[in-house]
Amino acid sequence: MTVQGQAISSWREFDDAIARANSEGARGGRAHSSLVFRGLARSSYSNRHSLARLGADYHELERHLIRNFRKYAHRERPGATLWDWLSLAQHHGLPTRLLDWTFSPFIAAHFATATSPEEEAIVWAVDCAAAHELLPPELRQSLDDEGATVFTTELLAEHAPSLQTLGRLGEGEPFVLFFEPPSLDDRIVNQSAVLSTLSDVRAGMDEWLQCHPELCHAWRIPRQAKAEIRERLDQANVTERVLMP
């Protein structure tokens, strides 16, 4: 994916860019910004879920991976829904269709600058409320009825108890939705974690972002700016010790 985005040369530029984007994301009568963020240590990295990295037939492996994970991880049973199990699987590194996001731009900046100091990094943002305006009517209505910006696992399971059901809801153009994982441990809580999924496992987030540029932002962080941003994040206690207890 070719990324344009805004080049950030300092902490002040990053903070100002986030403030402008948050202001835009709070429009439409919303009290708070509806942006979610994702930091990548290299701007060349794609927003490709880990399941897709398994090879050409990855979509056929998904149900087997989930079935076996549930079989062998039953002692850590997270909750009753498929989405609870997928959250747990993602948390433990199982290849899934999910992508990790956060409500905090500074946590995203931490992950963008924590490694690869000689490489340009990138922070992505998506307006999840605007993205949810593209959902099938019943999913969109359920969020409106709850007065929620993102799904919980329980609310999502009411309409998509299985991946097959989610796929049928997305027949035609694939859609993306965002949900909060259960608070499995302090790591998920401290990272203000959000997860995304596409209705079609064979669809890609990068392709979705290219089709909806009005719903997203991208800020490129050159290697020269990484050290200063890391220092400011450390001063704000956005550190490995807090985020990965």
Side-chain angles (χ1 to χ4, degrees):
M1 177 179 180
T2 302
V3 178
Q4 299 296 325
Q6 178 185 350
I8 298 297
S9 62
S10 67
W11 169 263
R12 182 177 293 276
E13 281 192 15
F14 181 69
D15 194 37
D16 288 346
I18 294 298
R20 287 193 298 272
N22 276 330
S23 178
E24 294 173 7
R27 294 175 183 172
R30 293 189 292 268
H32 303 287
S33 170
S34 53
L35 295 180
V36 293
F37 302 87
R38 175 173 167 82
L40 299 175
R42 300 187 182 193
S43 60
S44 59
Y45 285 168
S46 68
N47 291 292
R48 190 183 189 198
H49 57 68
S50 54
L51 185 65
R53 300 192 185 106
L54 295 182
D57 297 326
Y58 67 87
H59 57 282
E60 296 180 0
L61 301 175
E62 184 176 33
R63 67 184 187 277
H64 303 298
L65 287 169
I66 295 171
R67 183 182 66 250
N68 282 295
F69 182 81
R70 294 181 69 162
K71 176 181 177 181
Y72 293 110
H74 67 279
R75 292 181 181 177
E76 295 190 54
R77 182 179 179 87
T81 78
L82 165 72
W83 303 102
D84 291 306
W85 279 104
L86 274 174
S87 300
L88 181 66
Q90 176 79 357
H91 188 60
H92 284 288
L94 189 82
T96 75
R97 64 166 64 194
L98 306 181
L99 284 178
D100 294 296
W101 301 78
T102 174
F103 286 117
S104 169
F106 306 118
I107 292 172
H110 167 84
F111 288 111
T113 59
T115 59
S116 304
E118 297 304 314
E119 298 287 340
E120 179 187 71
I122 191 166
V123 172
W124 285 94
V126 172
D127 187 335
C128 61
H132 287 162
E133 290 296 319
L134 305 175
L135 292 175
E138 64 181 85
L139 286 172
R140 188 170 66 248
Q141 187 62 50
S142 69
L143 280 178
D144 291 342
D145 291 344
E146 289 289 325
T149 303
V150 298
F151 289 89
T152 62
T153 55
E154 293 83 1
L155 183 60
L156 181 53
E158 288 179 13
H159 302 278
S162 70
L163 295 174
Q164 292 76 17
T165 305
L166 183 71
R168 286 194 292 271
L169 289 171
E171 287 181 354
E173 182 179 354
F175 60 82
V176 65
L177 61 79
F178 296 85
F179 69 95
E180 288 188 89
S183 298
L184 299 169
D185 61 19
D186 289 343
R187 177 154 65 103
I188 285 179
V189 175
N190 292 357
Q191 291 179 14
S192 299
V194 189
L195 296 171
S196 71
T197 183
L198 281 149
S199 57
D200 185 346
V201 69
R202 291 165 293 190
M205 177 60 80
D206 284 328
E207 290 74 22
W208 187 90
L209 293 170
Q210 285 182 324
C211 290
H212 303 283
E214 74 282 1
L215 304 185
C216 64
H217 303 269
W219 298 284
R220 293 181 288 108
I221 302 175
R223 60 182 181 83
Q224 297 89 339
K226 278 189 171 182
E228 181 200 359
I229 290 174
R230 289 286 298 162
E231 182 179 356
R232 296 300 294 269
L233 291 171
D234 286 346
Q235 291 173 346
N237 202 30
V238 183
T239 64
E240 196 82 6
R241 182 178 180 181
V242 172
L243 300 181
M244 307 287 285

